Amino acid sequence: MSATTTSHETISDGQQDDIVLEQSGSYYGYLGEDGEGYHHHVDEATNTVYVTPDRAERFLPENAGVYWFRVCGELDHTEKLEQDEDRDRWVAYVDSVRGWTDRPVHLDVKKIFAEMHEGDRR
């Protein structure tokens, strides 16, 4: 029989309230920085956009297979998107109202994969 020790970490209410979004890399998306300096983060699991003045912190939890992302600080706006297509509408709306300072290039993975394997005959 082996002895086990248990450790407890106390998190104050202030620290808990400070976390706007914490999600695995599989479900985290980043839309970019708008013209007013706000960052647009997406929780892919709930299809929700979080607008904050801060970038996400990337970290690797112990024994995790993927990186996680944590957004702390002030929350400017939350937008629950009904469908995946609504993300394009959100991007267009922000472009018309605030503009984009830093907008990541959208990668169509299916298209890239198809181009990579064009001509394969299996």
Side-chain angles (χ1 to χ4, degrees):
M1 182 165 159
S2 64
T4 59
T5 59
T6 305
S7 63
H8 296 280
E9 184 176 334
T10 303
I11 299 174
S12 70
D13 288 340
Q15 287 173 316
Q16 287 178 340
D17 293 341
D18 197 33
I19 297 174
V20 174
L21 172 66
E22 188 171 274
Q23 191 59 273
S24 81
S26 302
Y27 296 104
Y28 172 80
Y30 180 67
L31 296 178
E33 181 181 358
D34 66 33
E36 295 179 13
Y38 287 92
H39 300 273
H40 296 247
H41 313 272
V42 180
D43 181 342
E44 304 276 354
T46 63
N47 207 21
T48 303
V49 176
Y50 295 87
V51 182
T52 70
D54 300 307
R55 288 189 175 271
E57 165 197 359
R58 185 178 86 154
F59 64 99
L60 186 61
E62 191 173 324
N63 298 322
V66 297
Y67 280 96
W68 279 62
F69 293 85
R70 179 183 299 131
V71 180
C72 296
E74 180 184 328
L75 177 64
D76 179 64
H77 182 76
T78 303
E79 187 72 27
K80 174 72 173 131
L81 305 176
E82 297 296 321
Q83 304 170 25
D84 289 338
E85 299 83 41
D86 290 344
R87 189 174 307 180
D88 292 334
R89 288 189 200 109
W90 178 256
V91 169
Y93 170 76
V94 172
D95 192 35
S96 69
V97 175
R98 296 182 176 188
W100 291 101
T101 300
D102 175 27
R103 176 84 174 99
V105 177
H106 174 71
L107 297 177
D108 185 343
V109 178
K110 291 178 187 174
K111 181 179 176 185
I112 292 170
F113 185 77
E115 288 173 358
M116 285 174 50
H117 295 284
E118 190 173 299
D120 286 356
R121 297 179 190 259
R122 292 188 185 174

